[in-house]
Amino acid sequence: MQADAEAAAPQAQPAPPASTFAQLLSPTRRGARLARLLAEQQLADWGWPRGGEATQDAVLIVAELAANAIQHGRIRGRDFRLVLILGSDGHLRIEVTDARADRLPQLAHAGPAGEAGRGLLIVTALAGRWGVDHCPAPPARKTVWAELAPPAAVVIGGAST
């Protein structure tokens, strides 16, 4: 009898799968520029408004994480990976994986005249949260990630967020 009641009960539907974009890029200034351009295009493809505040924030985070990957995470002959994950709820996760698991990102406190050291401060200001995942298995690497709320104008599953 209980089996019949369970069969008649509505089953929870799994959340729609997240949309994912991933690309390996050369650990060069050109690779970092391409990461920004690809991120901007992918976000537009997902319905994020070009030039919108959330899109600009996401592209700036990609730029900072890619710059850190080429400056602090570079090993000759190894690329860095950009991954964008758009959740079913519209939240965006940006991941940049580099080859230097031994070099962890640190918040720097650059002086007013300093030209460097503000990247993670910018990420901290723009992202809802960010962090680092380690992968010690060969080849060792680390992934620095940041998460953003969706822009107000994006339509997810027929409803505005």
Side-chain angles (χ1 to χ4, degrees):
M1 189 82 167
Q2 185 174 357
D4 291 337
E6 288 177 8
Q11 297 293 320
Q13 296 296 318
S19 298
T20 302
F21 170 85
Q23 182 68 49
L24 285 174
L25 299 155
S26 65
T28 62
R29 292 173 65 186
R30 185 176 181 188
R33 180 176 185 275
L34 185 55
R36 292 190 312 270
L37 294 172
L38 289 169
E40 184 175 31
Q41 181 60 53
Q42 186 59 54
L43 292 172
D45 290 350
W46 283 338
W48 286 45
R50 280 194 189 273
E53 185 177 346
T55 302
Q56 290 177 349
D57 289 352
V59 171
L60 184 54
I61 289 170
V62 168
E64 293 300 336
L65 296 183
N68 283 350
I70 65 171
Q71 184 174 3
H72 304 294
R74 183 179 186 171
I75 291 179
R76 187 177 178 97
R78 301 229 352 239
D79 294 335
F80 75 93
R81 177 184 299 264
L82 169 66
V83 177
L84 305 174
I85 302 168
L86 183 63
S88 59
D89 61 356
H91 281 78
L92 177 68
R93 182 176 170 106
I94 300 165
E95 298 179 350
V96 174
T97 302
D98 67 46
R100 294 297 303 260
D102 59 323
R103 289 190 166 175
L104 298 178
Q106 296 179 355
L107 285 173
H109 299 286
E115 293 183 16
R118 292 185 180 83
L120 288 177
L121 293 173
I122 292 170
V123 171
T124 299
L126 298 177
R129 61 189 200 125
W130 71 273
V132 180
D133 294 335
H134 307 275
C135 182
R141 58 198 176 279
K142 71 175 175 297
T143 299
V144 183
W145 55 267
E147 294 178 347
L148 288 169
V154 171
V155 175
I156 305 293
S160 253
T161 59

